[in-house]
Amino acid sequence: MKTILLTGGTGFIGANLCRRLLHEGCRVICVDNNYTGSMENIREILQNPFFSFVEHNICFPLDTLFGGEKIDQIYNLACPASPRFYQGAHAVETTKTCVLGALNILELAKRHNAVVLQASTSEVYGEPLEHPQKESYRGNVNPVGVRACYDEGKRCAESLFFDYRRLYGTRIKVVRIFNTYGPFMDPDDGRVISNFICQALTGREITVYGDGSQTRSFCYIDDLIEIMLRVMNSSDDFTGPLNIGNDDEYTIKALAECITAKLGGRIVYKALPADDPVKRCPDISLAKTMFDWEPKVSLDEGLCRTAAYFKNCIGQYKK
């Protein structure tokens, strides 16, 4: 049985990944400080004998947390992923989580000779001048903008991962995650799909920023988890970076109209936030070629599943 450490495990992606790993027969150690995650997301698996939760901030070393237990694999998902949480008062903490957190995780991986997967982001491409974005594209990031704590933090983390590979032979994987959605999203995290669905379900106006012509691609969580597992369990020769996401592209306006058609609501338009990319869509040719993978869940089906999840927990968040 593999023992797998997962940081950020009470967050959206982490909570889904914990369940999949348990289903695969793994021993799972979930580490989180619950800044943006929630214990509600893992409540039903807390009693699983192969699952344990450790409350910890990865800005601080993890050496003494596991009582000598051997770690086989590490998924580093810990970091706020929504501008609502990483901008402003929490900007410095976000950079520290990206950089100091990566260092602590890499040191742990080196000591255990564990394979470690870094959940990087499409934000490393910034406001892309290449479309769709290939892994070879070096990006167009504003290093002093309001989003830089996250964008540059993740870029620095990638650099550390590859330096550890070059200097110490650390067994690394780096994936760049594009927009993802599904159950266990925080309804108040400010991401576009959770925003739109929760606004519609609670009778509020559907808020589109800008004129809605900006584009995104949306990957359902089950598809994302599948490719993450394939990457983690691939040969040590494959390090990435690898784009993972859905290459179907939609305007934000089209997304809003799709959700209002399903759930009702009225669309309103507000000013576009600073440094918000106009286009964002992955080139996933490498994932298709290397891992025989491509998304299977359509946007229509994924939105229905996600709306059903939010309907079930409608009383648990602020309207």
Side-chain angles (χ1 to χ4, degrees), residues 60-73:
F60 302 95
L62 297 88
D63 313 45
T64 61
L65 298 180
F66 314 115
E69 188 170 6
K70 176 70 170 66
I71 307 298
D72 298 302
Q73 296 178 344

Side-chain angles (χ1 to χ4, degrees), residues 87-216:
Q87 292 180 171
H90 300 287
V92 172
E93 186 66 21
T94 296
T95 302
K96 288 168 67 177
T97 302
C98 289
V99 179
L100 297 180
L103 282 168
N104 288 326
I105 292 299
L106 285 162
E107 282 295 315
L108 185 69
K110 186 173 69 166
R111 284 190 292 275
H112 286 256
N113 191 31
V115 186
V116 55
L117 183 146
Q118 167 67 5
S120 190
T121 172
S122 60
E123 298 293 339
V124 300
Y125 298 123
E127 175 60 85
L129 303 178
E130 174 183 298
H131 190 76
Q133 293 85 59
K134 296 179 181 289
E135 291 87 353
S136 57
Y137 179 54
R138 296 182 180 180
N140 177 40
V141 175
N142 177 2
V144 297
V146 294
R147 301 169 70 105
C149 57
Y150 184 69
D151 302 359
E152 296 287 29
K154 288 289 191 176
R155 286 163 69 96
C156 184
E158 286 195 19
S159 174
L160 287 167
F161 266 68
F162 282 95
D163 282 338
Y164 264 71
R165 167 77 172 185
R166 286 185 284 263
L167 292 171
Y168 309 118
T170 307
R171 303 161 68 197
I172 68 162
K173 313 285 183 184
V174 175
V175 295
R176 292 174 177 165
I177 299 173
F178 283 68
N179 290 64
T180 305
Y181 69 101
F184 301 111
M185 294 182 81
D186 181 344
D188 291 324
D189 70 2
R191 300 189 211 195
V192 64
I193 285 184
S194 55
N195 265 2
F196 287 177
I197 289 177
C198 292
Q199 286 170 342
L201 289 176
T202 54
R204 292 173 290 168
E205 295 174 329
I206 311 301
T207 307
V208 172
Y209 294 97
D211 62 4
S213 63
Q214 63 270 40
T215 67
R216 296 291 186 272

